[in-house]
Amino acid sequence: MPPTIRTRVAIVGAGPAGLILSQLLADAGIDSIVVDSRSRAEIESTIRAGILEQGTVDLLRTIDPGTRVDTVGHRHDGIELRFGDEGHRIDFPSLVGRSVWLYPQHEVLKDLLALRLGAGQDLRFGVTVEGVDDGDPEHPAVVATDAHGEPLRIEADFVVGADGSRSVVRAAVTGSSTGGYFREYPFAWFGILCEAPPSSHELIYSNSDAGFALISQRSPEVQRMYFQCDPNADPSAPSDAEVWDTLQARVPGTTLNEGPVIQRDVLRFRSFVAHELRRGRIALVGDAAHTVPPTGAKGMNLAIADVVLLAQALGALLGEDDDRLIEGYAERALDRIWKAQHFSWWMTSMLHVAPDASAFDRLRQRGELSTVVESEAGRTYLAEAYTGWPTR
Ligand code: DHB
């Protein structure tokens, strides 16, 4: 038998979802072990999205006195939707009394790793999980290989798959590694990090005849920008000058501050929701349970919203032997997941130009954009969804 360790909750994945879950469980007096296949350095340096909903920020402030969301992060009170050579600002506080924060995911992760390791969390890097053994349904076990290549078995009262879109835990819940509702898109984002001053103090989501672009930021010195591209595009193919020409052409009426491109990547788009989020004492959260296209920045926020619900359910199940909340976990989580799926799909389809778009399609899209920005109801829906629905 491989070395076996015991814990109450085995959490696979030390991303925002897994780490926040370990904190919320610790607050409820429930021990957990978190494992991740990556190293700490890899987790802290991978560039991901950057927008946190109001509710996510409120939670980080509550659980982490050391969070830098208010010092390194920036509050954003609106975004600009740009089309037909004009910008239209959506002002969040006046519409919904909420805001968002630009605070990159890898900075959130640095805070959360420091928080959990500082509290003595059993957190193991370089652990490759092979699967979940649910032979004893009351005590599922994570079957893994540790950082030294030695077999490792973690027996728990509950196993959580917070292990991202290529989840290994998912198969133990849905019966296959892919089982779910699925949609692909005929475009992707070409993302860059560049050394330049900000081009705008708020995010610009731009629909142009040449395609979509998003102007975001990272710091006073480094900016993050994206433009719609072919899903098979080679990130190293265009020169810096070509990247800038493409970006400039997609935000007509705005002049971007240019600078050296220090990182490039191509992000493929998918919408996915697993057919099941829980089976017995195994549950999925975050990208393991669902993926959204990036337009609207829902991914990390949705993962954290799952975790808030699951932590309440595990507190009741493991603390008070009450299974009512865990029985309702999937249904409660799916309510928000499908709203976020709709919003992400809607922002994506409203702002991008499909490769086969006809003149009718383009003109209809303009009609849709005008409807949204000219109507207080339209702006309010966008602001409500962008800043995040309250958790129930
Ligand atoms: C960023 C990413 C998004 O998908 C988005 O909608 C807004 C901002 C970003 O990486 O900054």
Side-chain angles (χ1 to χ4, degrees):
M1 275 296 270
T4 299
I5 42 179
R6 278 263 337 139
T7 186
R8 300 218 72 195
V9 182
I11 301 172
V12 183
L19 293 170
I20 290 178
L21 181 61
S22 74
Q23 176 67 43
L24 294 174
L25 290 174
D27 289 344
I30 298 169
D31 287 342
S32 65
I33 295 179
V34 182
V35 296
D36 200 292
S37 59
R38 298 166 295 173
S39 66
R40 180 175 181 179
E42 207 180 331
I43 294 172
E44 290 186 338
S45 62
T46 306
I47 303 298
R48 304 289 289 271
I51 292 287
L52 304 184
E53 294 174 359
Q54 174 86 52
T56 302
V57 170
D58 293 344
L59 178 72
L60 292 177
R61 288 181 184 144
T62 308
I63 64 172
D64 181 6
T67 181
R68 295 167 301 142
V69 67
D70 292 300
T71 48
V72 175
H74 294 275
R75 194 184 81 223
H76 283 217
D77 286 340
I79 56 167
E80 180 178 294
L81 286 190
R82 177 161 277 274
F83 56 95
D85 294 357
E86 267 182 56
H88 306 263
R89 185 162 184 272
I90 312 284
D91 183 84
F92 300 147
S94 67
L95 292 162
V96 293
R98 296 159 79 81
S99 297
V100 296
W101 273 253
L102 185 92
Y103 187 49
Q105 180 164 333
H106 67 278
E107 299 293 349
V108 174
L109 285 167
K110 284 184 203 167
D111 291 351
L112 291 172
L113 285 166
L115 175 72
R116 294 311 301 140
L117 290 168
Q121 171 70 38
D122 186 338
L123 170 48
R124 303 178 188 210
F125 302 104
V127 174
T128 309
V129 172
E130 277 111 46
V132 180
D133 175 358
D134 58 356
D136 174 356
E138 294 294 304
H139 299 288
V142 170
V143 180
T145 305
D146 73 12
H148 309 291
E150 301 295 329
L152 174 68
R153 187 179 165 88
I154 308 171
E155 283 181 5
D157 297 332
F158 206 98
V159 171
V160 178
D163 52 343
S165 57
R166 295 197 195 87
S167 173
V168 175
V169 176
R170 191 188 296 137
V173 173
T174 65
S176 84
S177 58
T178 50
Y181 306 96
F182 192 72
R183 184 190 169 97
E184 278 195 277
Y185 297 80
F187 34 74
W189 277 2
F190 195 109
I192 64 157
L193 280 178
C194 63
E195 282 170 354
S199 294
S200 159
H201 69 282
E202 290 181 341
L203 271 60
I204 304 175
Y205 288 80
S206 179
N207 169 286
S208 77
D209 287 335
F212 171 76
L214 169 59
I215 309 306
S216 183
Q217 300 108 30
R218 282 297 176 266
S219 69
E221 300 81 28
V222 174
Q223 312 312 322
R224 181 76 163 144
M225 302 183 191
Y226 304 91
F227 61 85
Q228 173 186 347
C229 69
D230 185 283
N232 298 313
D234 171 3
S236 59
S239 65
D240 279 19
E242 285 165 335
V243 166
W244 285 114
D245 283 349
T246 304
L247 278 165
Q248 293 280 6
R250 295 193 184 189
V251 283
T254 301
T255 304
L256 300 175
N257 291 318
E258 300 184 9
V261 175
I262 53 173
Q263 195 184 306
R264 308 140 165 259
D265 45 12
V266 169
L267 279 80
R268 294 191 139 204
F269 277 39
R270 285 184 345 141
S271 298
F272 168 78
V273 180
H275 283 147
E276 277 92 30
L277 301 194
R278 181 185 69 94
R279 195 161 62 82
R281 287 180 169 241
I282 312 171
L284 304 175
V285 290
D287 282 2
H290 43 72
T291 310
V292 289
T295 330
K298 280 283 156 269
M300 173 172 40
N301 295 292
L302 197 52
I304 292 170
D306 292 345
V307 158
V308 169
L309 296 178
L310 187 62
Q312 289 167 1
L314 291 179
L317 179 73
L318 304 177
E320 297 150 39
D321 206 21
D322 176 349
D323 66 1
R324 283 173 297 179
L325 286 178
I326 199 69
E327 291 296 333
Y329 162 67
E331 195 183 329
R332 283 178 82 199
L334 283 166
D335 178 64
R336 188 188 194 92
I337 291 166
W338 280 111
K339 284 180 193 156
Q341 285 291 355
H342 171 69
F343 177 67
S344 307
W345 167 87
W346 176 67
M347 287 284 278
T348 299
S349 44
M350 179 168 68
L351 288 162
H352 291 70
V353 180
D356 61 353
S358 65
F360 175 89
D361 296 334
R362 288 287 297 135
L363 292 165
R364 186 208 59 76
Q365 207 174 34
R366 284 285 182 84
E368 183 177 11
L369 284 158
S370 300
T371 307
V372 171
V373 300
E374 287 168 22
S375 139
E376 184 166 335
R379 293 194 304 275
T380 303
Y381 165 66
L382 199 155
E384 235 167 47
Y386 198 96
T387 59
W389 305 276
T391 35
R392 278 190 274 145

